[in-house]
Amino acid sequence: MRHVLRIGGSERNAFLQNLVTNEVPTAPGSLVYAALLTPQGKYLTDFFLQETGEAILLDADAGQAATLAKRLGMYKLRADVTLETTDISVGLGTGPMPETALADPRHADLGWRNYGGPGDDTDFDAIRVRHCVPEAGIELIPDNTYILEAGFERLNGVDFKKGCYVGQEVTARMKHKTELRKGLTTVSVDGAAPVGTSIEAEGKAVGTLFTQSGGQAIAHLRFDRAGAAMTAGDAAVTYDG
């Protein structure tokens, strides 16, 4: 489920620009994917931003919307910014795109997001697993996940050319490492295990299993420990690197 916040006021763009990981849209017609981080660079929530000409609509996971609105209100101070909840629905789909819909900026296979209109019956878990696209509350864990380990650069969710934002210093430092030692990836899985099951190899924890579909799954792995013979509960897990 999704929830849409309306952010208005003459300083709405500058307000968000100083907070979020991506360039804030200034003209109608497209969506931007971004996140809000802790000062320590850890994920708090991800969302889509749409400029309407009168306000910015922020499309967030319904379970995170109230906490996000509270956090934005804390940062607002005396800026000319308004924050409102809305009852705008969000329909998701991959079929013919309705006139009211906008393309999902993360990956072409994720289709479109229809604000105020219906979606279709696409199996989005299958698409997410195939392209290793994390979801809030599953693979994206507040106060725990680092967005580069979660693939935000590949998913167009972070801009390294924009100015400072909350958590920018840690994110930039991770970007300039020679190689990430752990992160989300797609694995093969034979069997099934609950989301959050520990993945082990030779009796040692090497990661966590998340969304599963069609013999594949999204997993968070320590790449130096991962291999072809791992288990997650009763399931066999294989990582080809």
Side-chain angles (χ1 to χ4, degrees):
M1 294 288 292
R2 306 296 293 180
H3 187 86
V4 178
L5 301 175
R6 179 182 287 110
I7 304 174
S10 64
E11 296 179 301
R12 63 183 182 271
N13 186 278
F15 167 67
L16 288 172
Q17 186 74 0
N18 290 328
L19 295 178
V20 306
T21 60
N22 214 340
E23 286 284 347
V24 177
T26 58
S30 64
L31 287 178
V32 169
Y33 181 54
L36 181 67
L37 310 181
T38 69
Q40 295 76 34
K42 294 185 177 182
Y43 166 90
L44 280 176
T45 182
D46 61 320
F47 38 77
F48 299 86
L49 300 171
Q50 175 193 172
E51 171 64 55
T52 68
E54 299 177 348
I56 293 174
L57 299 182
L58 189 156
D59 161 12
D61 178 76
Q64 297 181 341
T67 300
L68 173 60
K70 183 177 180 180
R71 181 64 64 106
L72 293 176
M74 180 183 73
Y75 283 124
K76 185 170 75 71
L77 300 176
R78 297 181 180 178
D80 180 20
V81 172
T82 60
L83 302 171
E84 305 171 71
T85 60
T86 78
D87 59 1
I88 298 172
S89 62
V90 184
L92 309 178
T94 57
M97 186 162 63
E99 292 183 1
T100 53
L102 295 170
D104 191 309
R106 296 172 297 174
H107 193 285
D109 285 0
L110 288 167
W112 40 262
R113 309 180 75 82
N114 190 13
Y115 293 93
D120 62 27
D121 58 358
T122 295
D123 181 355
F124 279 99
D125 274 355
I127 297 174
R128 290 199 310 103
V129 169
R130 185 161 64 248
H131 297 295
C132 197
V133 178
E135 184 169 305
I138 304 178
E139 293 86 13
L140 296 174
I141 304 170
D143 296 305
N144 182 278
T145 299
Y146 287 103
I147 61 168
L148 295 192
E149 292 183 0
F152 268 61
E153 184 174 11
R154 170 175 52 84
L155 297 170
N156 303 310
V158 58
D159 186 338
F160 291 100
K161 296 180 181 179
K162 67 167 287 185
C164 293
Y165 54 86
V166 177
Q168 183 265 345
E169 183 177 350
V170 174
T171 305
R173 191 161 60 242
M174 290 185 70
K175 162 69 174 174
H176 296 296
K177 282 185 174 181
T178 56
E179 188 176 5
L180 289 174
R181 292 181 294 178
K182 56 185 178 178
L184 293 178
T185 188
T186 299
V187 297
S188 298
V189 58
D190 183 7
V195 167
T197 299
S198 176
I199 300 173
E200 298 186 353
E202 297 180 351
K204 295 181 179 179
V206 298
T208 306
L209 191 70
F210 292 109
T211 305
Q212 300 148 61
S213 177
Q216 292 185 306
I218 298 175
H220 186 275
L221 293 180
R222 281 192 55 167
F223 300 124
D224 60 337
R225 294 184 180 180
M230 300 182 292
T231 59
D234 293 330
V237 178
T238 303
Y239 172 62
D240 296 327

